[in-house]
Amino acid sequence: DVQLVESGGGLVQAGGSLRLSCAASGVTRDDYAIGWFRQAPGKEREVISCIGNGGTYYLESVKGRFTISSDSAKNTVYLQMDSLKPEDTAVYYCAAEPESSSPYGSSCRRRPYNYWGQGTQVTVSS
């Protein structure tokens, strides 16, 4: 079974940093596109970053502040979040989708992610 476990969330002051981790089991990281999503209260879930064989993607509002990276040996994808803002407050989720489900080189942004973690809360105080 595919399992994704997020960690690293917490409470931080504006301008601070957090690093989220998405540990995957039951998958080989390089065979899957991995996306980071967030959902704030009353708002729709949005994809903020992802990584796959088609490259990486960042939501415009996080460009230059967030960095996605992958450690294949640990089967873990990280999201380094710097210069955090109160509007970054949300539950953050990672999701996975087999690369084989889309043409090679397809953007990871619009994949039909089928495997999801439980989420981790990020709260940024002003």
Side-chain angles (χ1 to χ4, degrees):
D1 289 349
V2 176
Q3 287 191 330
L4 304 173
V5 179
E6 303 97 335
S7 61
L11 173 63
V12 64
Q13 289 188 331
S17 298
L18 287 173
R19 188 178 79 158
L20 304 184
S21 299
C22 174
S25 60
V27 304
T28 299
R29 153 65 193 98
D30 291 343
D31 292 337
Y32 281 72
I34 303 291
W36 280 102
F37 294 74
R38 68 185 179 190
Q39 187 165 22
K43 294 188 177 181
E44 292 188 355
R45 185 174 60 197
E46 60 182 354
V47 54
I48 53 173
S49 185
C50 58
I51 186 169
N53 60 27
T56 58
Y57 163 82
Y58 294 96
L59 184 68
E60 189 64 33
S61 63
V62 308
K63 280 183 180 178
R65 300 189 298 122
F66 291 9
T67 304
I68 193 169
S69 62
S70 175
D71 186 335
S72 296
K74 296 183 178 180
N75 248 12
T76 299
V77 173
Y78 303 98
L79 186 68
Q80 178 67 40
M81 307 187 297
D82 299 318
S83 302
L84 283 162
K85 304 175 180 180
E87 51 263 44
D88 294 318
T89 295
V91 179
Y92 284 68
Y93 301 88
C94 67
E97 184 64 15
E99 294 282 17
S100 59
S101 69
S102 298
Y104 184 86
S106 297
S107 170
C108 58
R109 179 184 177 189
R110 300 187 188 281
R111 297 291 184 91
Y113 290 94
N114 284 311
Y115 302 102
W116 292 84
Q118 82 288 352
T120 186
Q121 176 71 45
V122 171
T123 303
V124 184
S125 63
S126 57

